[in-house]
Amino acid sequence: GSSNFGSICAVSSDSGAAERYEQRPMESSQSTQKVQFPEDFVFGVASAACQIEGGYREDGRGASIWDTFCGLDTLGMPGSIWTKETLDKLGTGGLCPASSAIADPARDSLGATTEDATSFRYTYKSDIEFMRKNGIKHFRMSLSWSRIIPTGFLADGVSESGVNFYKDVFKTMRENGITPLVTLYHWDLPQGLLSAPGPMEHLSKLKFHDETPGYYQGWYSATASKDGLPVPRGVDAVVVKEFTNYADFCFKTFTDVKDWSSFNEAWVASKLSSGWGKAPSTAPYLDVDVWPYVAAHNMIIAHAVAGEACKKYPKLNYSIVNNCDYQHPVNESDPDNKALALSLLDAWLGWFMHPIYGIPDGNGSFVHDYPESMRTGPHKLKYLPAFTDSEKALLKSSRTALTGIGLNHYGTNLVDAAGNTSNAGKTKMFDNKIPLSYSFENKGVPTAESGWLNMAPWGLRKLLNYIKDTFQPNLPIYITENGCSDGANRGSQGHYDPARVMFYHDYLVEVHKAINEDGVDVRGYYAWSIFDNYEWEMGYREMFGIMYTDIEYLRSQDDIDRHNKRTRGPKLGEEHPLIHFDGDERLQIKRQRVSPTIKLPAPSKQKIAKRSFLFLKDSCFGDNRTLANPLKYVSLTQLEDHPFEAINHEPVVVKP
């Protein structure tokens, strides 16, 4: 059932005074009515290029920051930062090093790479056909920027083969009655736009350098203020200009696509990518109090400039996809605790929503700036860039390009007045040694395979209300990702996922309440993810798929030799170099043996629909709009209407 705690919300006025008020308690409606969604409600499945495509050198593709991060061989690829000379200087023994972050014991995924993923680059036709057969009509996916523009610089040329691949993906989807929702940037920056990592003597010159060849700063592009603090270059940043070129090229070229998003989870791509364990996490940009805010500022401006470009194509829909885990006070009667929880929402979702969507000014218009709690008062940040007048004007103008709100949501944290999430204090978001949390002890909220993912359906309803009340956006919300992870080891285990069945059932019930009882304008819901896939720095250990992807990890010496002969990533059982930073000043090359039992996609590429897939198929796919009884899908009895041949997907590999 739904929680009945009063929700915390903020309405900010132009004067900046945040007025806090209690929303009526969200009582659960104890009716036995069927949970039915409108006929035109969009149900879909989601994915991202870097996580499913593989074929990392196909189409003359350029290196991305994730290819570099996971230690794939990028020598000779367009935009690669590695050359034989650089690797000799670093002393890696000629191998392209991986980031030490992925070898951290909390992740331990050295050897898991973007090399194969689920092979969508080669299996897309049969994958899309499988979706059609199962009634899936909406597919959220992203483009690999460097598969289209290998170096990231449009003037360097476009890969015709990469462009044709995506054109054929969209044509195949159209022929199968599937509508794409396409993300331009799902974290995989072309490496050609960021001249890091590399030797320390080079990195020490990179910060604030003019952006000339060899000194490209990616999203960290900034000049120095007289106090030595970064001033994001915004519209003058090379990455912002090139993102706009790329966006405009895609709007013009992929005419089958009507629904576009600029960024996926800029919070992750700016914050967690600056020293929290996601790519690039490289010196000289490891100060977590500074560089996430520079990167985010440039992303917000890039979104706005691309929005202006999008307006030239009047039939297109445009949005940004932000993520947020709901933050709920441990003690709801403590005003400080409530204010702290609210400031965490501001500093997560508000960080991007306030500048991009704006908050109502009381006169029918919007104020575009960072949330007040990030700028002043007890929760003020140590560093935050300021929007210039021309940037605010740009944000105001580009708001008219926006046709919807994308929201990715997974879980809920309970926080106390000091910001702690457990008796052990603050925990790092991606630390898998997370102790028992307040969320579990106070509200019985269980976690998924991912230690940060507290499964609390009621939190989604509260978050939807926070968006409605704070931003009064007058735009429809699409839940662009929702799901949970498991750690299954074989198809017959992966298929049976009762926690995920209940997750989807209970979260969809809360979405339904938000629409029907709270009046939130939600018009779509995409399950993350269609397949178990490359889960970033966690490799293939955490699986979010509603389809199990066959993995291999128990290997004979023959299996190891076979893999090592063909891979261009770190070799099983062998030492691989790691690039490790001690802050922004020191770099060392460490070495670690790649575990011979690391989980990797199996050569079979076989996929099996999980019980959660079947629950969603019977509830939401095709013309179904009424939630099925979840107990049928968590039963141990075989589901007779879903025999093995219907749930088994053996993709057909087609090499260009």
Side-chain angles (χ1 to χ4, degrees):
S2 160
S3 80
N4 57 359
F5 340 127
S7 163
I8 50 163
C9 295
V11 173
S12 302
S13 64
D14 200 17
S15 66
E19 172 196 349
R20 291 184 179 80
Y21 69 95
E22 285 295 320
Q23 195 185 314
R24 63 180 179 72
M26 296 182 177
E27 297 295 352
S28 156
S29 34
Q30 297 298 329
S31 67
T32 51
Q33 284 172 325
K34 286 203 179 321
V35 176
Q36 190 167 0
F37 287 85
E39 262 175 59
D40 59 353
F41 193 86
V42 168
F43 278 112
V45 293
S47 69
C50 187
Q51 297 181 267
I52 66 171
E53 282 183 359
Y56 87 110
R57 282 180 177 252
E58 198 67 66
D59 310 307
R61 182 177 166 279
S64 85
I65 57 174
W66 277 94
D67 302 331
T68 305
F69 195 74
C70 67
L72 269 179
D73 171 12
T74 61
L75 283 170
M77 289 176 75
S80 176
I81 39 161
W82 300 133
T83 61
K84 292 264 193 288
E85 300 74 51
T86 318
L87 295 176
D88 287 347
K89 201 179 280 185
L90 284 172
T92 66
L95 295 172
C96 296
S99 165
S100 64
I102 62 168
D104 180 293
R107 305 183 184 99
D108 190 25
S109 64
L110 179 64
T113 70
T114 53
E115 181 174 32
D116 295 315
T118 77
S119 302
F120 183 78
R121 173 62 190 86
Y122 305 116
T123 61
Y124 67 95
K125 283 204 149 107
S126 60
D127 290 343
I128 291 168
E129 172 75 6
F130 186 83
M131 289 184 221
R132 179 191 61 75
K133 278 203 306 229
N134 284 280
I136 293 170
K137 294 181 177 177
H138 295 269
F139 182 44
R140 177 173 176 255
M141 54 174 279
S142 76
L143 304 176
S144 163
W145 184 348
S146 63
R147 197 182 292 284
I148 295 169
I149 304 168
T151 64
F153 289 86
L154 187 62
D156 291 346
V158 167
S159 160
E160 210 170 313
S161 154
V163 169
N164 288 337
F165 160 62
Y166 287 118
K167 280 186 169 170
D168 202 52
V169 168
F170 299 135
K171 175 173 175 272
T172 308
M173 285 172 70
R174 188 182 71 227
E175 288 166 350
N176 282 278
I178 298 173
T179 304
L181 168 56
V182 180
T183 308
L184 289 165
Y185 187 84
H186 201 124
W187 311 351
D188 46 354
L189 182 73
Q191 186 66 65
L193 290 166
L194 177 66
S195 309
M200 211 62 237
E201 62 189 289
H202 166 70
L203 296 181
S204 62
K205 295 182 215 145
L206 187 57
K207 201 190 300 188
F208 307 137
H209 197 287
D210 285 347
E211 288 200 279
T212 51
Y215 293 95
Y216 297 121
Q217 290 147 30
W219 298 112
Y220 304 114
S221 177
T223 56
S225 71
K226 50 182 187 302
D227 309 330
L229 289 171
V231 180
R233 284 197 180 97
V235 291
D236 296 324
V238 165
V239 72
V240 172
K241 293 173 180 170
E242 290 306 329
F243 179 77
T244 310
N245 287 339
Y246 160 58
D248 187 64
F249 176 84
C250 292
F251 297 151
K252 187 169 62 208
T253 307
F254 302 119
T255 50
D256 272 333
V257 180
K258 297 289 177 270
D259 301 310
W260 293 93
S261 296
S262 54
F263 289 85
N264 174 76
E265 301 190 357
W267 182 88
V268 174
S270 55
K271 181 172 179 160
L272 301 185
S273 301
S274 308
W276 289 77
K278 288 197 189 290
S281 289
T282 173
Y285 305 118
L286 291 171
D287 185 338
V288 296
D289 292 325
V290 173
W291 293 104
Y293 303 97
V294 175
H297 197 90
N298 285 324
M299 287 175 189
I300 288 165
I301 298 304
H303 160 85
V305 186
E308 293 292 277
C310 189
K311 288 200 279 193
K312 297 188 311 202
Y313 308 92
K315 292 202 168 63
L316 299 185
N317 292 316
Y318 187 62
S319 63
I320 184 171
V321 168
N322 291 306
N323 65 306
C324 190
D325 283 353
Y326 191 68
Q327 309 294 308
H328 195 279
V330 166
N331 179 359
E332 291 172 76
S333 54
D334 173 6
D336 291 341
N337 195 169
K338 285 170 62 177
L340 183 276
L342 183 63
S343 78
L344 292 175
L345 288 177
D346 279 348
W348 191 327
L349 188 60
W351 182 10
F352 298 95
M353 290 285 292
H354 276 249
I356 289 170
Y357 289 87
I359 53 168
D361 67 357
N363 301 314
S365 195
F366 293 91
V367 179
H368 297 272
D369 201 348
Y370 290 119
E372 190 196 4
S373 61
M374 294 176 81
R375 292 183 278 123
T376 58
H379 308 296
K380 179 185 173 182
L381 299 178
K382 291 180 191 169
Y383 163 84
L384 187 67
F387 288 108
T388 63
D389 288 345
S390 66
E391 286 176 335
K392 285 182 179 172
L394 169 67
L395 288 164
K396 193 178 183 65
S397 171
S398 74
R399 193 194 189 282
T400 59
L402 293 165
T403 52
I405 294 171
L407 177 68
N408 293 356
H409 171 79
Y410 289 90
T412 289
N413 295 316
L414 260 64
V415 289
D416 66 16
N420 299 318
T421 50
S422 74
N423 290 317
K426 293 183 174 66
T427 51
K428 269 182 127 170
M429 176 153 181
F430 288 91
D431 178 357
N432 273 352
K433 300 186 287 292
I434 289 175
L436 289 183
S437 66
Y438 293 144
S439 304
F440 180 68
E441 292 172 356
N442 297 13
K443 302 287 181 204
V445 174
T447 52
E449 180 73 10
S450 311
W452 52 269
L453 205 170
N454 301 311
M455 301 185 283
W458 51 264
L460 174 52
R461 183 180 177 190
K462 287 183 177 294
L463 184 62
L464 289 168
N465 275 279
Y466 163 82
I467 293 171
K468 174 177 81 102
D469 295 338
T470 307
F471 303 103
Q472 298 168 32
N474 212 9
L475 289 170
I477 299 171
Y478 292 85
I479 294 161
T480 33
E481 289 182 21
N482 186 225
C484 64
S485 51
D486 67 55
N489 292 322
R490 68 198 72 83
S492 52
Q493 180 190 13
H495 166 72
Y496 184 67
D497 62 343
R500 192 181 281 104
V501 170
M502 295 316 300
F503 180 100
Y504 280 122
H505 175 270
D506 292 3
Y507 272 76
L508 282 166
V509 166
E510 294 296 320
V511 172
H512 189 263
K513 286 179 189 164
I515 297 169
N516 292 294
E517 295 177 30
D518 309 334
V520 185
D521 186 6
V522 184
R523 294 197 209 163
Y525 178 98
Y526 291 79
W528 182 273
S529 169
I530 174 70
F531 304 129
D532 290 340
N533 55 36
Y534 175 68
E535 193 45 45
W536 308 106
E537 74 282 10
M538 301 309 297
Y540 297 90
R541 285 178 31 190
E542 292 182 0
M543 283 112 136
F544 279 83
I546 53 173
M547 294 195 67
Y548 172 86
T549 299
D550 195 17
I551 50 164
E552 172 180 272
Y553 66 104
L554 300 174
R555 299 178 177 90
S556 66
Q557 192 56 50
D558 282 354
D559 293 334
I560 291 171
D561 295 342
R562 171 180 52 77
H563 176 80
N564 286 350
K565 209 164 123 183
R566 67 164 288 273
T567 188
R568 297 185 81 152
K571 294 194 185 318
L572 300 172
E574 297 182 14
E575 286 212 327
H576 196 82
L578 301 172
I579 192 161
H580 179 78
F581 293 103
D582 294 315
D584 280 337
E585 273 61 64
R586 272 191 62 222
L587 173 166
Q588 30 175 332
I589 296 295
K590 297 184 165 186
R591 286 187 162 64
Q592 186 167 311
R593 180 170 172 264
V594 180
S595 164
T597 57
I598 183 92
K599 288 183 174 183
L600 294 174
S604 75
K605 301 184 178 22
Q606 184 178 19
K607 316 244 184 325
I608 305 273
K610 302 183 187 180
R611 287 290 180 88
S612 56
F613 181 102
L614 303 177
F615 167 74
L616 289 169
K617 178 180 176 177
D618 294 346
S619 303
C620 313
F621 298 164
D623 295 327
N624 296 328
R625 288 294 176 272
T626 305
L627 296 192
N629 179 351
L631 296 183
K632 167 181 169 180
Y633 303 86
V634 303
S635 154
L636 282 168
T637 326
Q638 185 185 13
L639 304 178
E640 289 185 4
D641 41 349
H642 299 288
F644 177 72
E645 48 278 13
I647 64 171
N648 182 37
H649 172 44
E650 295 183 28
V652 180
V653 174
V654 181
K655 293 277 163 121

